[in-house]
Amino acid sequence: MSDQEIVRREALGKLRELGVEPYPAAAFPVTTNSAEIKAEFDPEKHPMEDVVLAGRLMSVRVMGKASFAEIQDSQGRIQIYVNRDEICPEEDKTLYNEVFKKLLDIGDFIGVKGRVFLTRTGEITVHVVSLTLLSKTLHPLPIVKVDAEGQVHDAFSDPEQRYRQRYVDLVVNPEVRNTFIQRSKMIRVMREFMSSRGYLEVETPILQPLYGGALAKPFKTHHNTLDMTLFLRIANELYLKRLIVGGFDGVFEFAKNFRNEGMSRFHNPEFTVMELYVAYQDCFWMMDFYEEMIEQVAIALHGSTEVKVGDKVIDFKRPWKRYTMFEAIQEYTGVDITGMNEDELRKTARELHVPIDETMGKGKLIDEIFGTHAEPKLIQPTFITDYPVEMSPLAKKHRDHEGLVERFEVVCNAKEIANAFTELNDPIDQRQRFEEQLALGKRGDTESMVLDEDFLRSLEYGMPPTAGIGVGIDRLAMIMTNSDSIQDVIFFPQMRPEKNIASE
RNA sequence: GAUCUCGUAGCUCAGCUGGUUAGAGCAUUUGACUUUUAAUCAAAGGGUCAUGGGUUCGAAUCCCAUCGAGAUCACCA
């Protein structure tokens, strides 16, 4: 234990000797908070003679018989003024001299009652008349200081510590708190946008006997009572479609999915996707729907359709640019791949220096060419439509073009932020597609889909024409909050276990 | 999984072409101070230099291994 931790533990004992309970049970109902005081206080028009607020003590400047300190609540910080003879009107000055000056530490939760005033330098400050310790801190908080020029000193910046001890990060780095508030607001806007159109928010299984609806490696687990293998879902698509079969017009779910794959600043083993399915619509309707929803998200978060991301400005103002996949490839490589067979595509990919291997089929080759040459250049939100059928086993065949499906992705800041289809509802075609996937699996592609008989049975009972979309919530949150790592938009990103935390 | 970079006090960092007792600021402790705001002034304490091994008269510093993190790549959303 460090000297500072030992000192704090000793302070605990001394507080109890003085009759001050460091962890009182009684409620401390507040009447206001730091932001409200700063917004509403006016010495002439709106004096505040009797306020009660609480928070963490974040800095203390003792000047003999008077002190200034700052407390931080959920809304921010506010300065307090503590005068010895006011909090100790009697002979006994212990509360000020011992408790406040010596036994309180930065980080401790305190509650204060007092009146608001303006200091000589014009800062809105709470003149404390009574002070209560609400919870004692034993672990020292990093002290982050901001000087008059707004320069931050001694920032708590080590990424490992910030992610492992997010609670500290949140206390000490206000912009982190804001990022997560924005993320939450983003989800709320989407939820309200969909709910107000009558779509139903639902929950579907995370533990699945078969993993389907996407191409990925799953986490595997075991249920003891049933003595069976279960998988953590890689997608919820097939369950949401079963609900459309069941007669709902629109269903959506904000779903945690799990994929047992590499980690990077764009990948966390568990991540959040919002999927929506709407009966009697197609993917072209969904383009308009998504565009409008995300434009509203941007406006709700930033008051504008423009969002600053790194050194770029991304504008979500409708309408967004729309390319077919072949158009996008032609735009960025100059090569028209329309009508090419597998050998021609392989040759083209080599000429364009696209990394390929022998297991890749036609669809995957096209996807690689797009991913290498077009996707990195798409910064503004852009719809890419008309994907090859081979890489979209759950999408309906294109109404006009042989070999393509009715599908779009939205690429923004060089990353996919949505994927949507006119859903395949022909059970016989769906069975064939699954079988083609099984064939691909035999060819060596480890990420082909497994055949889900119950899902096929549900389609045989009949699914109406349906539009579906999946939205990567973490990726969208990264853009909307100008974060360059997924770890900055997930409270507790996955980490290897920390050694020796117990022995500390 | 591969490559590169990093790990020194509670926090942020210096020291790294090997060489007295490993330094600084903030934080902590003691003292002074009744309107300060990165408060100030005076003094003090605080370190298995990530872990283990090696080279050397001598290692925070060089080498190897391990653990943890970040970046890039591969797989993917």
Side-chain angles (χ1 to χ4, degrees):
Chain A
M1 235 187 320
S2 70
D3 57 336
Q4 296 193 43
E5 289 170 85
I6 293 163
V7 165
R8 287 178 183 220
R9 268 158 227 262
E10 286 169 359
L12 262 192
K14 287 184 196 154
L15 283 164
R16 289 207 166 102
E17 278 171 32
L18 292 170
V20 177
E21 171 53 46
Y23 302 104
F28 190 86
V30 298
T31 62
T32 185
N33 62 58
S34 61
E36 194 176 83
I37 291 171
K38 285 181 175 174
E40 293 181 7
F41 174 69
D42 184 316
E44 308 296 313
K45 293 183 193 121
H46 193 266
M48 299 172 107
E49 293 294 335
D50 195 10
V51 296
V52 182
L53 72 160
R56 280 186 197 269
L57 195 60
M58 293 304 279
S59 70
V60 186
R61 295 180 289 277
V62 177
M63 278 153 303
K65 299 181 185 66
S67 300
F68 286 93
E70 279 177 300
I71 61 176
Q72 173 173 301
D73 59 22
S74 67
Q75 303 303 306
R77 290 191 187 187
I78 191 161
Q79 181 168 262
I80 61 172
Y81 173 74
V82 182
N83 185 297
R84 187 192 68 182
D85 296 331
E86 288 197 62
I87 65 165
C88 306
E90 310 296 323
E91 275 304 295
D92 181 7
K93 306 297 182 189
T94 309
L95 178 63
Y96 184 77
N97 287 340
E98 293 301 314
V99 176
F100 179 76
K101 275 171 69 175
K102 293 189 181 169
L103 300 176
L104 286 194
D105 289 294
I106 287 171
D108 291 356
F109 283 91
I110 59 169
V112 298
K113 297 181 187 181
R115 58 180 182 276
V116 185
F117 76 111
L118 272 181
T119 63
R120 247 185 355 209
T121 52
E123 178 154 353
I124 294 171
T125 302
V126 178
H127 191 129
V128 175
V129 295
S130 97
L131 184 147
T132 311
L133 174 59
L134 299 178
S135 182
K136 180 85 194 128
T137 317
L138 295 182
H139 216 102
L141 222 45
I143 310 292
V144 180
K145 295 202 174 187
V146 181
D147 65 21
E149 284 86 51
Q151 206 85 47
V152 178
H153 297 265
D154 302 333
F156 180 62
S157 56
D158 176 31
E160 181 171 358
Q161 297 219 69
R162 288 186 46 224
Y163 301 145
R164 283 196 199 282
Q165 301 182 49
R166 182 70 87 184
Y167 37 89
V168 176
D169 194 26
L170 285 163
V171 170
V172 140
N173 293 326
E175 70 285 359
V176 173
R177 179 189 182 80
N178 193 46
T179 293
F180 286 99
I181 291 172
Q182 295 280 72
R183 178 185 169 123
S184 179
K185 193 171 181 182
M186 177 183 103
I187 290 171
R188 194 169 68 241
V189 169
M190 293 173 72
R191 175 173 281 130
E192 278 165 13
F193 189 87
M194 292 182 288
S195 297
S196 68
R197 281 158 178 75
Y199 307 143
L200 188 71
E201 182 164 12
V202 299
E203 292 173 277
T204 63
I206 292 172
L207 288 173
Q208 301 180 349
L210 292 172
Y211 56 99
L215 305 169
K217 294 187 197 80
F219 285 91
K220 196 174 167 180
T221 186
H222 184 262
H223 189 271
N224 291 341
T225 301
L226 297 175
D227 188 24
M228 68 183 287
T229 296
L230 287 170
F231 300 95
L232 273 63
R233 70 176 166 207
I234 58 171
N236 55 353
E237 171 155 358
L238 303 186
Y239 284 94
L240 290 173
K241 284 182 182 170
R242 284 168 167 99
L243 295 178
I244 296 294
V245 169
F248 294 106
D249 281 335
V251 290
F252 68 93
E253 180 175 17
F254 286 91
K256 267 285 179 73
N257 289 345
F258 306 83
R259 296 190 186 174
N260 205 342
E261 292 169 344
M263 289 164 64
S264 78
R265 72 194 180 90
F266 294 104
H267 301 86
N268 195 63
E270 61 181 284
F271 62 103
T272 305
V273 169
M274 193 292 296
E275 293 211 14
L276 166 71
Y277 292 82
V278 179
Y280 313 117
Q281 297 293 1
D282 61 20
C283 75
F284 301 103
W285 170 88
M286 187 63 89
M287 289 165 91
D288 296 334
F289 179 92
Y290 180 75
E291 204 176 37
E292 187 182 348
M293 180 167 68
I294 301 307
E295 186 188 63
Q296 285 203 8
V297 166
I299 291 168
L301 265 52
H302 300 281
S304 156
T305 57
E306 294 188 355
V307 179
K308 276 188 74 172
V309 182
D311 53 3
K312 303 157 207 144
V313 174
I314 295 178
D315 192 351
F316 289 95
K317 189 173 174 56
R318 291 179 289 162
W320 301 345
K321 200 183 279 181
R322 298 182 182 198
Y323 280 130
T324 66
M325 180 168 252
F326 289 3
E327 281 167 1
I329 289 172
Q330 185 163 16
E331 171 83 23
Y332 292 102
T333 67
V335 181
D336 183 4
I337 61 166
T338 312
M340 283 189 183
N341 63 30
E342 192 172 316
D343 289 336
E344 290 167 323
L345 283 169
R346 184 161 281 124
K347 182 164 167 280
T348 304
R350 283 208 195 87
E351 284 165 7
L352 293 169
H353 309 288
V354 175
I356 53 167
D357 65 61
E358 290 313 306
T359 68
M360 287 178 182
K362 202 174 156 185
K364 204 127 189 173
L365 288 167
I366 294 170
D367 193 39
E368 286 296 321
I369 296 170
F370 174 78
T372 305
H373 289 286
E375 198 171 60
K377 303 206 176 77
L378 295 169
I379 302 302
Q380 298 303 320
T382 306
F383 288 103
I384 304 296
T385 61
D386 296 5
Y387 281 68
V389 63
E390 293 87 345
M391 51 193 286
S392 314
L394 300 167
K396 191 177 277 192
K397 281 179 180 150
H398 200 288
R399 65 192 75 178
D400 297 326
H401 301 290
E402 184 70 22
L404 301 180
V405 289
E406 298 210 348
R407 172 180 179 181
F408 71 83
E409 286 194 2
V410 178
V411 180
C412 180
N413 206 27
K415 283 282 161 188
E416 180 205 319
I417 57 165
N419 181 19
F421 318 136
T422 301
E423 300 296 335
L424 178 53
N425 63 344
D426 175 342
I428 293 170
D429 189 2
Q430 183 67 80
R431 181 176 292 276
Q432 276 172 8
R433 302 280 196 94
F434 277 140
E435 277 161 3
E436 283 160 17
Q437 287 291 308
L438 289 175
L440 277 178
K442 285 187 185 121
R443 190 167 158 177
D445 191 337
T446 53
E447 286 176 355
S448 54
M449 284 189 190
V450 293
L451 197 141
D452 186 334
E453 283 292 349
D454 177 68
F455 172 65
L456 286 170
R457 180 169 60 189
S458 76
L459 291 189
E460 286 168 9
Y461 278 104
M463 184 172 88
T466 299
I469 190 166
V471 181
I473 292 296
D474 309 289
R475 299 255 177 107
L476 187 59
M478 284 171 68
I479 292 170
M480 289 294 173
T481 62
N482 191 15
S483 301
D484 52 15
S485 170
I486 199 169
Q487 297 175 109
D488 292 329
V489 298
I490 293 175
F491 273 126
F492 303 104
Q494 196 55 243
M495 289 262 167
R496 282 206 165 82
E498 192 177 0
K499 297 279 159 144
N500 296 329
I501 185 171
S503 66
E504 225 185 289

